[in-house]
Amino acid sequence: SSPKERTMSWYGGYGGFAPYVPVATKIARGHAAAKKLAAKEGRSPDPVQIVGRKIAKTFWGLKWCENLERYRDFANRLPRGATYVRNGSVADLVIEPGSVRAIVGGSEAYTVKIQIKTLSPSVWKAISRDCAHEIESLFDLLQGRFSDGVMTRLTRADDGLFPRPSEITMNCTCPDGAFVCKHIAATMYGVGSRLDARPELLFTLRKVDHRELIGRAASTANLDQ
């Protein structure tokens, strides 16, 4: 049967129990499938690799994970998802404009696809306007760095860059009937880890250009001040 599309509006039950498969076998299956897919797409696999217990360590990754944990529908599956992403089960994770794709090792290698709506023009306009007044120095501006105030504004829960539950649609090829399976939860945590190293991917995901914030700030009187 085809994978069930899941939108963040309800929480389903559990599917049937799969036969036990050793963790090492699950991980190996995921990486084998990721290698095959990446070769087909002319690239190398991009696994999520976490050192230590903390999934995210920087401002951007931590804020993503904090926001994820606000979603009521994720609550029951987050611990299992965290275990999966920590042990290397997310064998490939690709963040593109409006979507996240992943291969996660399990009883089989499962494919996760998460679609996220484009950030609304009105929200982006408000963010740009607010951030233009938060650039603290010319040096930071020219280096493309944002102040604490800008980063806080960008990651604000209700009107920042993070998607609202109604803007997210998810599916996984696993047989689990739950709204958020552990493979989806692991993928969402994987995004937080990826933002640690490449925070610009948050802008890519929401289909907006972070350079517009710098351009807007540079065109205002704030720069002269």
Side-chain angles (χ1 to χ4, degrees), residues 52-71:
R53 293 287 299 169
K54 289 186 177 181
I55 293 172
K57 302 175 179 67
T58 70
F59 176 90
W60 299 96
L62 288 169
K63 284 294 184 180
W64 173 271
C65 292
E66 286 175 13
N67 188 70
L68 177 64
E69 289 157 6
R70 294 191 312 120
Y71 296 154

Side-chain angles (χ1 to χ4, degrees), residues 82-100:
T83 297
Y84 265 56
V85 75
R86 286 192 188 102
N87 70 18
S89 292
V90 182
D92 190 33
L93 186 138
V94 178
I95 298 175
E96 300 169 321
S99 72
V100 178

Side-chain angles (χ1 to χ4, degrees), residues 20-225:
Y20 173 76
V21 178
V23 173
T25 301
K26 293 180 179 181
I27 294 172
R29 286 175 177 173
H31 283 270
K35 184 177 180 180
K36 184 177 180 179
L37 175 64
K40 184 178 179 180
E41 296 180 350
R43 60 181 179 85
S44 298
D46 199 357
V48 176
Q49 299 173 316
I50 293 173
V51 178
R53 293 287 299 169
K54 289 186 177 181
I55 293 172
K57 302 175 179 67
T58 70
F59 176 90
W60 299 96
L62 288 169
K63 284 294 184 180
W64 173 271
C65 292
E66 286 175 13
N67 188 70
L68 177 64
E69 289 157 6
R70 294 191 312 120
Y71 296 154
R72 177 182 55 83
D73 288 330
F74 272 79
N76 290 353
R77 289 306 176 93
L78 283 175
R80 291 292 302 279
T83 297
Y84 265 56
V85 75
R86 286 192 188 102
N87 70 18
S89 292
V90 182
D92 190 33
L93 186 138
V94 178
I95 298 175
E96 300 169 321
S99 72
V100 178
R101 298 186 289 124
I103 300 292
V104 183
S107 299
E108 299 176 14
Y110 298 116
T111 299
V112 173
K113 294 182 179 179
I114 300 171
Q115 300 294 324
I116 296 178
K117 291 183 179 178
T118 303
L119 189 71
S120 74
S122 61
V123 172
W124 180 237
K125 183 177 180 179
I127 289 174
S128 299
R129 181 189 63 240
D130 294 344
C131 289
H133 300 286
E134 289 284 355
I135 300 292
E136 292 182 343
S137 73
L138 176 61
F139 180 77
D140 284 342
L141 179 61
L142 295 177
Q143 294 296 316
R145 290 200 294 261
F146 297 136
S147 66
D148 290 345
V150 169
M151 292 192 294
T152 299
R153 176 63 184 88
L154 291 171
T155 57
R156 216 153 68 182
D158 297 319
D159 59 352
L161 290 179
F162 294 137
R164 295 189 298 273
S166 61
E167 296 175 317
I168 304 174
T169 301
M170 304 169 288
N171 64 56
C172 178
T173 56
C174 79
D176 192 333
F179 159 64
V180 179
C181 66
K182 52 186 173 286
H183 313 107
I184 288 175
T187 299
M188 293 294 267
Y189 268 132
V191 173
S193 177
R194 189 60 49 82
L195 292 180
D196 264 0
R198 298 183 59 192
E200 71 276 6
L201 288 174
L202 180 57
F203 296 85
T204 298
L205 183 60
R206 298 315 307 275
K207 298 184 183 179
V208 293
D209 189 347
H210 64 284
R211 291 171 295 187
E212 289 181 18
L213 300 180
I214 297 171
R216 184 181 177 93
S219 65
T220 67
N222 294 316
L223 194 57
D224 292 332
Q225 293 171 10

